[in-house]
Each structure stands twice: as C-alpha cells, then as structure tokens.
Amino acid sequence: MPHSPYLLQHAYNPVNWYSWGDDAFTKAHEQNKPIILSIRYSANYSVKGN
C-alpha cells in the first residue's frame, strides 16, 4: 500500500498507480505499457443551494 496521501486517496480506482521510481518504469517496460503521469491534482468542492 502506498504512503502518498494522493495515492492512498486513489487506491481503489481501476488504475494501477505506482509512485515515481524505478519500479514503475520496470513494470511498464516488462508489460510493454506506456507511463501515464499524474501531476497529483486534487480539488475539493462543495455544492451549495441558493
């Protein structure tokens, strides 16, 4: 389980998130898959009625 608050927040998304590092690059290379980089953008908002 990752220690990054961002990765923990998205731990149950249908994406195999990896922290930046050699493990991510090795896994992508072994599986012939691209690296998709997330810039860790997260927004909180609330919807308020009138």
Side-chain angles (χ1 to χ4, degrees):
M1 184 61 87
H3 297 288
S4 159
Y6 179 81
L7 292 179
L8 288 171
Q9 179 182 2
H10 297 284
Y12 299 103
N13 287 3
V15 174
N16 292 326
W17 295 101
Y18 289 87
S19 295
W20 184 265
D22 292 336
D23 291 341
F25 290 104
T26 300
K27 189 83 147 180
H29 179 73
E30 289 172 351
Q31 295 180 6
N32 195 30
K33 292 184 178 179
I35 299 280
I36 299 173
L37 177 65
S38 171
I39 60 169
R40 297 176 56 161
Y41 174 77
S42 183
N44 294 324
Y45 64 92
S46 62
V47 178
K48 295 181 182 179
N50 291 336

